[in-house]
Amino acid sequence: MALINSAAENNITFVQPAYFIISGFIGIPNIRYYFVFLCFIYILAVVGNTLVILVITLDHMLRSPKYIAVFNLAFTDLLSSSALVPKVVDIFLFNHYHISYNDCLTFMFFCFTSIFMQAFNLVVLSFDRVMAIMYPLHYQMRVTHKLILSLIAFFWLLAITLILIAVGLLTRLSFCQSVIIQSYFCDHGPMYRLGCNDVTPNYIFAVLTIVLVLGFPLAFIVGSYCCIGYSLSKISTFRERVKAFKTCTGHLSLVAIYFLPFIFVYAFWPVIHPNARIINLSIATVLPPMLNPIIYVLQTQEIKESLRRLLKARVQAKLEVFRFKPL
């Protein structure tokens, strides 16, 4: 009970501010060019992820459990980009630094839900790869549409629950001294540190969330690839090992793109300049949604073949219409 004492019980006047001020990129020279770069990334992310979603939706041959997970990854990336980049550009490029209290919490909810789901999607894809390589003969029986959909639904529920609890804990804080958030969006850490009353519950839950969202997925993925490596070592020929491992390269690329920037920033947190840290974190957040569809299109043979089939069918349909069109 001591952890959840209210501001009133600690003789602190409860203050819920009308607005917050986002100050992450203020004072960085030539920062407007970076916002142009963000717009370019956003356009590529929207086009790329929309293309992946359309290809999986239109091609009935891509209805396997694996591509349900890929579809969810593309949808999450589209949500992540659309929730974050337009608002960040609006805040800093058009000088709309003030954001209302409720809008800030809503902004945080959508940003963190999509960021959490990006990590959980990598867990689902990792599970799919380890089952495909370790149990190739029983893969279709073990990895069903129902199982993948259940995993995705569970992770969506977990992500939403985590961020709702985080937002709920923020609403118990009194912001009586400062409303300036030292980040590029309504970031949970910089926000709860502004609280005047006891922030211990917020800190404990933040650490728990980092473990659940970053620690557990990374540990599961590393463990999965240890199992994959052990299974590949049992394959007699080198060519077959390479062929099996190639099915994992796309997923490994996604894992590296998502986790390495966060690991780098948090590992060198004390020595990195605050402005450099903010830019690095913003890049780590917006870059994966742009690169994920490019990697899957370039490294996944099924999607490349599907694109060829769809384009060929469209060209043939146009030729048929042109051929039978009356003069």
Side-chain angles (χ1 to χ4, degrees):
M1 292 297 292
L3 292 177
I4 55 174
N5 286 335
S6 65
E9 291 172 332
N10 287 287
N11 297 320
I12 298 174
T13 302
F14 186 85
V15 177
Q16 185 181 93
Y19 58 86
F20 288 101
I21 300 173
I22 312 295
S23 65
F25 291 121
I26 297 176
I28 300 177
N30 302 316
I31 194 63
R32 288 181 177 269
Y33 296 110
Y34 180 66
F35 299 134
V36 175
F37 173 67
L38 286 183
C39 291
F40 177 71
I41 288 180
Y42 175 65
I43 293 170
L44 289 180
V46 170
V47 172
N49 287 293
T50 302
L51 178 63
V52 172
I53 290 172
L54 287 175
V55 169
I56 295 174
T57 303
L58 295 174
D59 193 340
H60 294 279
M61 298 182 69
L62 297 180
R63 298 296 172 83
S64 64
K66 172 186 175 181
Y67 286 102
I68 293 176
V70 174
F71 179 95
N72 188 58
L73 177 66
F75 173 76
T76 304
D77 287 343
L78 191 60
L79 176 64
S80 175
S81 297
S82 299
L84 182 64
V85 178
K87 187 63 179 177
V88 169
V89 171
D90 176 65
I91 290 171
F92 294 102
L93 191 59
F94 300 103
N95 302 326
H96 297 156
Y97 304 120
H98 294 69
I99 181 170
S100 70
Y101 181 86
N102 289 331
D103 287 349
C104 195
L105 295 182
T106 303
F107 186 23
M108 177 192 296
F109 171 81
F110 283 105
C111 288
F112 275 106
T113 299
S114 55
I115 291 171
F116 291 175
M117 275 308 301
Q118 286 176 341
F120 293 146
N121 281 327
L122 295 176
V123 171
V124 177
L125 289 168
S126 177
F127 171 77
D128 174 82
R129 288 300 83 207
V130 74
M131 295 299 288
I133 291 176
M134 293 188 68
Y135 307 101
L137 299 179
H138 304 283
Y139 170 75
Q140 291 184 343
M141 295 178 58
R142 297 190 179 206
V143 182
T144 62
H145 291 79
K146 182 179 179 180
L147 176 60
I148 294 298
L149 286 171
S150 298
L151 283 173
I152 290 172
F154 168 76
F155 282 129
W156 271 107
L157 183 62
L158 177 60
I160 292 172
T161 301
L162 287 173
I163 190 58
L164 282 177
I165 294 173
V167 170
L169 289 173
L170 281 175
T171 60
R172 55 170 286 283
L173 295 181
S174 176
F175 299 92
C176 58
Q177 294 180 355
S178 176
V179 293
I180 300 175
I181 300 173
Q182 299 290 338
S183 186
Y184 61 98
F185 74 114
C186 293
D187 199 348
H188 178 258
M191 279 187 68
Y192 84 73
R193 294 187 189 97
L194 296 176
C196 298
N197 47 330
D198 185 19
V199 299
T200 305
N202 304 78
Y203 171 76
I204 293 174
F205 189 75
V207 173
L208 176 63
T209 301
I210 290 172
V211 172
L212 289 174
V213 175
L214 292 179
F216 163 72
L218 187 57
F220 181 87
I221 291 167
V222 170
S224 297
Y225 277 97
C226 289
C227 295
I228 289 173
Y230 177 73
S231 296
L232 292 179
S233 68
K234 292 183 176 182
I235 298 176
S236 57
T237 64
F238 177 76
R239 180 176 294 180
E240 290 298 318
R241 286 182 208 152
V242 172
K243 182 179 178 181
F245 184 74
K246 279 185 176 179
T247 64
C248 302
T249 54
H251 178 257
L252 276 173
S253 300
L254 303 186
V255 171
I257 290 169
Y258 182 84
F259 285 103
L260 288 181
F262 287 110
I263 292 172
F264 173 80
V265 170
Y266 288 113
F268 296 97
W269 187 278
V271 297
I272 299 177
H273 189 277
N275 288 341
R277 187 164 63 236
I278 289 172
I279 291 177
N280 286 337
L281 282 175
S282 65
I283 292 176
T285 306
V286 303
L287 211 54
M290 181 200 75
L291 294 177
N292 289 351
I294 296 174
I295 289 170
Y296 257 97
V297 169
L298 293 179
Q299 296 192 8
T300 307
Q301 190 64 30
E302 295 94 332
I303 291 185
K304 288 192 285 188
E305 291 177 357
S306 176
L307 277 171
R308 292 192 194 101
R309 286 195 300 269
L310 291 173
L311 290 173
K312 185 178 179 181
R314 186 172 180 83
V315 170
Q316 288 178 344
K318 286 188 175 182
L319 289 175
E320 290 294 327
V321 171
F322 180 76
R323 183 184 301 173
F324 294 103
K325 187 177 181 180
L327 296 175

